[in-house]
Amino acid sequence: MIWVYLAIAVSILAFGVAAYFYQWVRRLPTANEKLEHVGALIREGAFTFLRREYRILALFMAVVSAILFLLFPSPIWSGGSIWDNVIMVAAYVFGTALSGLAGVVGISIATIANLKSATAACEGIRPSFLAGFRGGAVMGLAVVGTSLAGAAVIYLISGDPNIVLGFSFGASSLALFAKAGGGIFTKTADIAADLTGKVELGIPEDDPRNPAVIADNVGDNVGDVAGMGADLFDSNIAAMAAAMVVALPLGQIDFIFCLCTLGLLASIVGVLLARLGKKGSPSRALNGGTYITCIIFTLLTLGATLLCNYSLRLWGAAITGMVVGVIIGVTSDFFTGDDKKPVERVARASESGPAFTILSGFSYGLLSSLPALVGIGLAALISYHLCAPLGEGYAMLGISTAAIGMLSIVGMIISNDAYGPIVDNARGVAEMAGLGDQVLTVTDELDAAGNTAKAITKGFSIGAAGLTVIALLGTFQEVVRQAAGVVIQFDMMNPLVFFGALVGAAIPAVFSAMLIMGVNRNSQKMVTEIHRQFNTIPGLREGTAMPDYARCIDIATVGAIRELIPAGLTAIVATLAVGFIGGVEAVGGFLTGNIVSGLLLALVMSNAGGLWDNGKKYVEAGHFGGKGSDAHKAAVIGDTVGDPFKDTAGPSINTQITVVSLISSLFAMLFYTCSLF
């Protein structure tokens, strides 16, 4: 149990470093009052959206809490201890609350760090980078520390990993809606602002005359920061919960906490060492921090494995997962990096029109899925066979350990990911506050690195989600075996399994379509509103009058909240329907189909979207005609297609897969006893 207590201690250390970074960023100067005013508008809009979204999700949480109390771990009318049901509900509510807190922490620091990074850009790229990165590190360390401490405390109280599954379900269910809602909000505003501003009116990206510009910057926070924080909080705790369920019968719980604890410690050291080198490449600094963290984690865990007499095979599985995660990130960098050939080729294709932008970008997105999927498959295969000789149950523990290894440096991953929207916002507020072209040049370079970092971290998180849900599939199998004494075999020749697989494969596509259609509908409404303001507000075009920013924020908020519930419920209801129709065998097929289809779509959309975004920036940097050219307009259209791909549907699929996997494990015995077939 020593590592469980050490997990809490290292989490407290992470909170301390996060608090230090928070105060360090907050004390940095702000350029002028105009910048403060713009920042206040963004902050107010972000928290307004979050409050309205969380009120709706609180009702959802109350309904699910009532269901859990009645049914889990056993129906209250079956004669079991009601106290167990109360603990399950408490764990679920705790997970939901901490996942929501991750969003609040993210927005709180991001809406400060964007102003400080913009101001620091007046002095150069190094101080601006450090302000943005340390702002992101607050998010990274706080999220991982909270998830690790939460899991440790719940395990100490209950001693039951199945209760940790309830904690994970709370985090996942809120993350599903938070990521979907934030993604719809941010891309509604982004698409409307780009199409009306850049394409129709020929004004700069963050021109204060554009009524959608504040909503666009608010969206960076509610989608890319709050939603992403909840998403990776969910991925981290889901991997831990799955590994703990498999590890408990084998007496390896301590090893799981050892990996998670040392991973967080490595991330703390990594973010403290992060600096911009002499050559001043933000991408190199972000990637270098990731590699340093990986090396520290490898050395720390090897030492702990030898010192505590853990199996080197289990350690090898964890390192396999970490290495494959880095490889997936590198392949994502190749397809999305602004200094790589795919981005240049898509930018060049834009000279021939938007159709060629779309065709080339989508093709590269499809190509990018192969190395990542092969990597996930190899990580599962290697870790499975590496640990199988240790005895029965260890092969699946090997896969679970690989997932933990891939997520071991998640503190650094979140820091890099949160850096992206912070410097994107810094660029926006710098333009609105009129800080000058030199500042915009600095923030553009930071923003391009942020886009690449986001693509890499999304590839990393998708890969981790892939291994995690494979582990959750094993968890589902283990839950049924422990409760019913039956080992389920998912034979695709079994029509029940095949039925489930077909439905499961369709759900990520339907889920994505609903989110993208939501963005489409809301963007059209906002475009109409922008046209109305330019046509009816005298002096708006000339810059002598102010637009009604609040109206665009309201359109994005109302639309996102209206659209997020149906998409999330579709995935949940489909899982329950398959389970009660076909039983546990159909659910096994459902999860298999959902995993394969979901990972493919998530990778394609994430990488294609990142490629289109950096293709646009490549043209804006002066290539192929530069800003205002036909190639630029085509590249902007490609970027608007890619926006809901990479920031709404793509990353939300990770959480959708995790949610249906957790629901399957929680409802496993009901599916076993109450199915139609």
Side-chain angles (χ1 to χ4, degrees), residues 266-284:
S267 294
I268 292 171
V269 176
V271 297
L272 285 169
L273 294 177
R275 294 289 190 281
L276 202 60
K278 291 182 179 179
K279 293 185 178 180
S281 170
S283 295
R284 190 174 291 114

Side-chain angles (χ1 to χ4, degrees), residues 395-612:
M396 187 54 67
L397 179 61
I399 295 177
S400 302
T401 304
I404 293 288
M406 195 176 280
L407 280 165
S408 58
I409 59 166
V410 71
M412 175 60 77
I413 295 300
I414 297 177
S415 300
N416 286 358
D417 207 341
Y419 158 88
I422 287 173
V423 295
D424 188 8
N425 250 204
R427 194 251 182 246
V429 297
E431 184 167 327
M432 283 185 278
L435 297 186
D437 291 340
Q438 185 176 348
V439 170
L440 294 181
T441 301
V442 170
T443 53
D444 276 338
E445 185 175 350
L446 294 175
D447 188 21
N451 277 329
T452 303
K454 279 166 58 180
I456 293 171
T457 54
K458 280 173 184 169
F460 201 99
S461 62
I462 291 168
L467 280 179
T468 298
V469 293
I470 294 170
L472 285 170
L473 184 59
T475 302
F476 171 69
Q477 200 172 28
E478 179 66 18
V479 167
V480 176
R481 188 193 67 77
Q482 289 178 9
V486 177
V487 178
I488 312 166
Q489 299 297 332
F490 305 131
D491 181 2
M492 291 301 291
M493 295 306 293
N494 181 335
L496 282 176
V497 176
F498 190 63
F499 158 74
L502 290 177
V503 178
I507 291 303
V510 173
F511 177 75
S512 300
M514 293 177 75
L515 294 180
I516 293 172
M517 288 167 65
V519 171
N520 183 42
R521 283 190 289 267
N522 292 330
S523 296
Q524 290 181 34
K525 291 177 183 176
M526 191 172 291
V527 166
T528 301
E529 172 60 21
I530 294 169
H531 288 160
R532 184 195 68 79
Q533 292 197 32
F534 272 109
N535 291 332
T536 60
I537 299 178
L540 181 57
R541 290 178 186 270
E542 295 76 19
T544 58
M546 290 294 291
D548 184 358
Y549 296 129
R551 178 61 188 144
C552 286
I553 293 174
D554 188 62
I555 289 172
T557 300
V558 172
I561 290 173
R562 184 174 56 246
E563 299 285 356
L564 69 89
I565 296 294
L569 287 180
T570 297
I572 294 171
V573 171
T575 310
L576 297 175
V578 169
F580 287 122
I581 291 171
V584 290
E585 292 176 319
V587 171
F590 177 88
L591 294 179
T592 304
N594 197 262
I595 291 168
V596 174
S597 168
L599 290 177
L600 174 64
L601 282 172
L603 285 163
V604 169
M605 289 194 284
S606 177
N607 288 338
L611 196 156
W612 279 317

Side-chain angles (χ1 to χ4, degrees), residues 149-194:
V153 168
I154 288 175
Y155 182 70
L156 283 175
I157 292 173
S158 68
D160 184 358
N162 290 304
I163 300 297
V164 182
L165 278 179
F167 175 64
S168 179
F169 178 55
S172 298
S173 58
L174 186 130
L176 177 66
F177 294 111
K179 188 62 188 169
I184 292 170
F185 183 108
T186 183
K187 294 305 110 179
T188 292
D190 197 356
I191 289 173
D194 276 359

Side-chain angles (χ1 to χ4, degrees), residues 12 20 47 53 61 133 155 172 229 273 354 356-357 368-369 403 411 431 435 485 498 535 628 641 647:
I12 293 171
Y20 164 72
F47 276 107
E53 181 183 51
M61 182 188 72
F133 179 78
Y155 182 70
S172 298
L273 294 177
F356 297 98
T357 308
S368 72
S369 66
E431 184 167 327
L435 297 186
F498 190 63
N535 291 332
V641 174
D647 291 324

Side-chain angles (χ1 to χ4, degrees), residues 24-25 28 113 116-118 120 126-136 422:
W24 183 88
V25 172
L28 292 174
K116 308 301 184 180
S117 182
R126 284 191 184 185
S128 185
F129 169 83
L130 199 58
F133 179 78
R134 287 194 164 181
I422 287 173

